[in-house]
Amino acid sequence: MPVKYNVVERKNPNDPTAPAKFYASAKADGDVNLKSLAKEISGGSTTVSDTDVLAVLNDLIKVLNRHLSQGKIVKLGDFGNFQISISSEGAVTADKVSSSLIKSNKINFRPGADLRDMLRTVKYEKYNK
């Protein structure tokens, strides 16, 4: 099934006087939760139950939290890597930089080879309301 997209109109933030242009914007087509992923994984070529898979995925979330909060990059092989990044206000000198200048943080995900390959071959379809 192809990825759906909407058409959205956007102004250029660098030039507010420029005419707006139209862009494709990915449209989510539902969601999949952890429980249904566990059922799908257990129904594949594995001999473990969906409860066992769900327990492992829940533990994965716990250890991701722990290691990311310690500043580590979590490498999950072919799946990809997770890492925290931060955004801060600037300071005049290096010695004036402190954690109080940090404005926000987020978790970056860098997909592994299989996911990058999928991105190169994914098909798209315009969303019809």
Side-chain angles (χ1 to χ4, degrees):
M1 176 184 285
V3 173
K4 305 246 187 318
Y5 66 91
N6 282 328
V7 177
V8 294
E9 184 177 17
R10 292 193 183 127
K11 288 209 170 261
N12 182 343
N14 295 328
D15 184 3
T17 62
K21 292 185 178 179
F22 293 89
Y23 298 88
S25 177
K27 166 100 173 81
D29 192 16
D31 57 24
V32 180
N33 64 30
L34 207 56
K35 198 171 192 175
S36 56
L37 283 174
K39 279 187 176 188
E40 191 172 339
I41 290 168
S42 71
S45 61
T46 180
T47 58
V48 295
S49 72
D50 57 326
T51 305
D52 293 334
V53 174
L54 187 57
V56 170
L57 292 174
N58 282 324
D59 282 347
L60 174 63
I61 293 168
K62 290 176 190 171
V63 297
L64 271 170
N65 281 329
R66 183 174 66 245
H67 291 295
L68 288 172
S69 68
Q70 294 171 353
K72 296 179 182 174
I73 297 172
V74 179
K75 297 182 174 185
L76 297 177
D78 292 338
F79 180 65
N81 304 329
F82 292 89
Q83 180 178 11
I84 288 182
S85 70
I86 59 176
S87 176
S88 73
E89 295 177 21
V92 178
T93 60
D95 62 321
K96 299 283 186 196
V97 175
S98 70
S99 61
S100 66
L101 295 179
I102 296 172
K103 297 186 301 187
S104 64
N105 55 21
K106 65 181 180 179
I107 297 172
N108 289 334
F109 174 70
R110 289 184 301 282
D114 288 347
L115 290 175
R116 286 192 313 270
D117 289 345
M118 177 274 303
L119 288 173
R120 284 192 278 277
T121 61
V122 69
K123 305 289 184 223
Y124 298 97
E125 176 181 285
K126 196 176 217 178
Y127 177 71
N128 295 317
K129 296 178 185 176

